[in-house]
């Protein structure tokens, strides 16, 4: 009625499930801007005008200090192997996945000794993390500062699937990616979700470049088997890092936010 253009930035996801929502969204907005290239096809299929102008994480995921300064800050020697435990921010994820992460760390502390760190996000309820870490038979250092700098000096991470895995990829940090949910939720999800990979770097690459462990595959023994291949000096780690760089190249060049702002101005001027 007022001839106001509607642009949707980061439109509702339709690439993995509920693909019909793309058609519903196309009825509401005049144009869409996605932050992942694989989000375009479902919208294009229904005739929506959608573009990919890059991902803002390319600009924001940067270490704030040199590798040498980061090692000093975290009291890590150059010869130390550093493994990160990143169980996610949701209480259910922490409850389901952190126990196996800690069990894996306990085994690694004997078989392939390393320094273990667990970066704690600001919005996380620490009580469950502290309870599990205090009961673990392995030394794990909890940190809240300079997460990207810590990731930049780490060998690898054991991580819950999510944005943090993509952040790690942007910092050339290989991960063993985990995901687990209640059995009923998993059964229902399988009926609606049709994807080969569930971690963002693998989806970007269009193939499995780093290990994903799902549901009953999430065991300490499997985690140890896979993370052992990602210690610095391992040939497999070098290949994974090369593949991660190639996958992250799909996110576009820096300056995504500026390009989006320019696009908004162009649409407003029409």
């Amino acid at each position: 009625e007022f001839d106001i253009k509607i642009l949707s930035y980061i439109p509702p996801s339709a690439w993995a499930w509920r693909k019909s929502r793309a058609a519903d969204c196309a009825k509401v907005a005049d144009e869409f801007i996605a932050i992942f290239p694989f989000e375009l096809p479902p919208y294009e299929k229904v005739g929506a005008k959608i573009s990919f102008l890059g991902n803002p994480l390319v600009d924001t995921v940067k270490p704030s200090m040199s590798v040498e300064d980061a090692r000093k800050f975290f009291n890590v020697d150059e010869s130390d192997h550093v493994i990160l435990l990143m169980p996610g921010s949701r209480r259910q994820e922490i409850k389901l996945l952190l126990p196996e992460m800690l069990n894996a760390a306990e085994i690694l502390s004997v078989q392939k000794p390393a320094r273990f760190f667990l970066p704690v996000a600001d919005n996380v309820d620490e009580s469950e993390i502290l309870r599990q870490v205090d009961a673990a038979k392995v030394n794990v250092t909890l940190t809240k500062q300079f997460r990207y700098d810590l990731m930049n000096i780490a060998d690898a991470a054991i991580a819950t699937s999510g944005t943090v895995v993509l952040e790690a990829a942007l910092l050339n940090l290989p991960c063993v990616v985990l995901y687990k949910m209640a059995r009923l939720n998993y059964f229902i999800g399988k009926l609606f979700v049709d994807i080969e990979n569930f971690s963002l770097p693998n989806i970007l690459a269009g193939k499995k470049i780093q290990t994903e462990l799902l549901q009953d595959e999430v065991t300490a023994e499997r985690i140890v088997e896979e993370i052992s291949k990602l210690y610095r000096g391992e040939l497999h780690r070098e290949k994974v890092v090369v593949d991660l760089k190639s996958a992250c190249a799909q996110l576009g060049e820096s300056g995504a936010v500026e390009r989006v702002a320019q696009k908004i101005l162009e649409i407003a001027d029409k």
Side-chain angles (χ1 to χ4, degrees), residues 1 20 33 68 82 96 111 133 137-138 148 189 223 242 267:
E1 182 181 348
S20 61
I33 300 176
E68 293 74 17
V82 177
L96 289 174
Q111 295 183 1
V133 169
K137 298 176 182 178
V138 62
Y148 293 153
I223 294 170
V242 170
I267 293 174

Side-chain angles (χ1 to χ4, degrees), residues 92-113:
Q92 187 71 357
E93 291 174 341
I94 294 167
K95 184 178 179 180
L96 289 174
L97 295 170
L98 185 54
E100 293 303 327
M101 290 185 181
L102 291 169
N103 289 340
E106 183 181 345
I107 296 171
L108 288 167
S109 67
V110 176
Q111 295 183 1
K112 290 181 76 73

Side-chain angles (χ1 to χ4, degrees), residues 67-83 115-117 141 150 153-155:
V67 168
E68 293 74 17
D69 287 342
R71 287 198 180 111
K72 288 179 183 177
F73 182 86
F74 291 104
N75 194 28
V76 170
D77 291 333
E78 188 174 354
S79 60
D80 289 338
H81 290 292
V82 177
I83 302 296
R115 298 279 305 281
F116 299 99
F117 289 84
T141 302
L150 178 58
I153 63 171
D155 291 45

